[in-house]
């Protein structure tokens, strides 16, 4: 999306958000010096109401929400996202229409069953800063003498490898049960 196509109120929201990000102490993205990595439980991210206005029904997230989410993500290099619903249209719209072709997306399988809530995990990344190395998988933990560690996870942890310049690294995102 192009800022000129945004409603004036959304442009004002983004200007306020930029000032808050600037004053937060988040370092700027600097080529060959840093990588900014984040984890975001975005809560039930699925279908999007395809208008800038509020929706009294479902879904609640609209184009304004996507514009704000994209603005936050542009300040980062790699973002692990938890709670992606089976309908990935909102996430795909975020990548294609709001972030653009310089951004990539990797998704885990859906975690079936009531515990997994039929959700998945995702990694969104700035392709100008990092590239997937080819490693991607889900981590399964077997029971041990102290019990079953998999009870901490309703969704299987997702591991993805990347490279940035000559550096290689792997990131694991997990949605852990509280308590």
């Amino acid at each position: 999306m192009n800022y000129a196509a945004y409603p004036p109120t959304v442009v004002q929201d983004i200007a306020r958000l930029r000032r808050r990000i600037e004053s937060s102490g988040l370092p700027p993205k600097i080529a060959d010096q840093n990588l900014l990595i984040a984890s975001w439980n975005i809560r039930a991210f699925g279908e999007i109401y395809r208008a800038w206005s509020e929706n009294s029904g479902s879904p609640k997230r609209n184009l304004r929400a996507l514009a704000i989410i994209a603005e936050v993500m542009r300040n980062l290099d790699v973002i692990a996202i938890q709670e992606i619903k089976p309908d990935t249209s909102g996430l795909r719209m975020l990548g294609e229409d709001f972030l653009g072709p310089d951004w990539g997306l990797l998704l885990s399988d859906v975690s079936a069953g009531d515990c997994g809530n039929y959700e998945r995990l995702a990694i969104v990344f700035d392709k100008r800063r990092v590239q997937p190395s080819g490693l991607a998988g889900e981590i399964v933990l077997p029971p041990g003498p102290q019990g079953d560690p998999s009870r901490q996870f309703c969704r299987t942890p997702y591991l993805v490898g990347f490279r940035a310049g000559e550096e290689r690294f792997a990131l694991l995102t997990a949605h852990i049960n509280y308590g």
Side-chain angles (χ1 to χ4, degrees):
M1 284 255 170
N2 158 344
Y3 291 116
Y6 288 15
T9 55
V10 175
V11 172
Q12 291 167 356
D13 290 342
I14 288 173
R16 277 193 299 278
L17 176 62
R18 284 182 178 173
R19 286 192 297 272
R20 290 195 66 185
I21 290 170
E22 202 172 283
S23 68
S24 74
L26 180 70
K29 292 165 59 166
I30 302 172
D32 299 326
Q33 289 190 27
N34 67 4
L35 282 176
L36 302 177
I37 299 170
S39 178
W40 192 345
N41 184 330
I42 209 158
R43 191 169 188 275
F45 192 28
E47 186 182 0
I48 298 296
Y49 180 59
R50 294 174 183 259
W52 293 98
S53 59
E54 298 294 322
N55 184 14
S56 59
S58 182
K60 291 293 184 194
R61 281 196 183 94
N62 57 16
L63 298 179
R64 176 187 173 275
L66 282 188
I68 297 298
I69 291 167
E71 194 63 32
V72 170
M73 288 185 171
R74 280 188 195 95
N75 291 279
L76 303 162
D77 296 308
V78 182
I79 306 100
I81 304 174
Q82 297 83 38
E83 293 197 26
I84 305 295
K85 298 307 256 176
D87 179 340
T88 61
S89 61
L91 183 63
R92 293 186 187 285
M93 180 186 281
L94 173 68
E96 294 166 12
D97 297 341
F98 285 82
L99 292 171
D102 290 329
W103 288 81
L105 168 66
L106 298 167
L107 290 165
S108 71
D109 292 330
V110 170
S111 295
D114 290 339
C115 184
N117 205 19
Y118 296 92
E119 293 174 350
R120 61 178 88 221
L121 304 169
I123 306 269
V124 177
F125 59 96
D126 186 338
K127 294 190 286 189
R128 297 165 299 185
R129 306 264 292 160
V130 299
Q131 296 78 40
S133 69
L135 169 70
E138 296 178 19
I139 305 299
V140 178
L141 302 171
Q146 256 97 63
D148 186 357
S150 68
R151 289 181 168 225
Q152 288 184 312
F153 308 108
C154 287
R155 294 154 199 93
T156 309
Y158 188 43
L159 177 74
V160 177
F162 287 97
R163 67 178 196 283
E166 298 301 314
E167 299 296 324
R168 292 183 180 277
F169 61 97
L171 298 175
L172 183 132
T173 183
H175 192 275
I176 298 174
N177 288 332
Y178 179 75

